[in-house]
């Protein structure tokens, strides 16, 4: 019998705030951000964005699967943050 819990099945709150890897790979709480929209060059319509810690991040992708979020963020070359949303996770990439 294996007494070790499946690490992918559950992440406790402490783990969410120290996910390791790149220093930008972390989850922030809703109270720390302000939602708005920004105009991004090459796009006709404004995109969802957040203001966090004096910087602006645009919505890059959402997913309900944490493993997919890790896979996506491991390939990003720009700074990013992750937030919890009602249907999983949102990945926001640095704009300015």
């Amino acid at each position: 019998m294996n007494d070790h819990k499946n690490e992918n099945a559950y992440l406790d709150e402490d783990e969410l705030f120290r996910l390791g890897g790149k220093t930008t790979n972390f989850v922030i709480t809703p109270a720390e951000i302000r939602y708005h929209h920004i105009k991004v060059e090459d796009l006709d319509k404004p995109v969802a964005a957040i203001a966090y810690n004096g910087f602006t991040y645009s919505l890059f992708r959402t997913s309900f699967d944490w493993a997919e979020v890790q896979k996506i963020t491991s390939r990003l070359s720009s700074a990013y943050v992750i937030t919890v949303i009602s249907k999983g996770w949102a990945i926001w990439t640095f704009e300015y």
Side-chain angles (χ1 to χ4, degrees):
M1 181 186 330
N2 188 351
D3 290 334
H4 298 288
K5 66 181 178 181
N6 181 349
E7 292 179 21
N8 294 327
Y10 175 76
L11 293 173
D12 63 20
E13 187 175 1
D14 291 339
E15 185 67 14
L16 290 176
F17 292 98
R18 58 167 203 82
L19 291 171
K22 300 178 198 174
T23 57
T24 53
N25 185 8
F26 58 92
V27 176
I28 56 177
T29 60
E32 298 175 299
I33 58 178
R34 183 177 53 85
Y35 293 94
H36 57 105
H37 287 83
I38 60 171
K39 178 73 174 124
V40 176
E41 196 173 315
D42 300 329
L43 295 179
D44 294 332
K45 295 182 179 182
V47 297
I50 59 171
Y52 171 71
N53 213 15
F55 299 103
T56 298
Y57 299 82
S58 63
L59 182 62
F60 178 70
R61 182 101 34 101
T62 61
S63 177
F64 63 89
D65 180 22
W66 180 251
E68 181 182 18
V69 169
Q70 289 179 309
K71 184 177 179 180
I72 293 166
T73 56
S74 70
R75 292 187 241 153
L76 290 176
S77 59
S78 63
Y80 61 89
V81 295
I82 302 166
T83 59
V84 178
I85 59 174
S86 62
K87 294 183 180 181
W89 309 93
I91 303 167
W92 307 81
T93 56
F94 179 78
E95 289 293 334
Y96 53 88

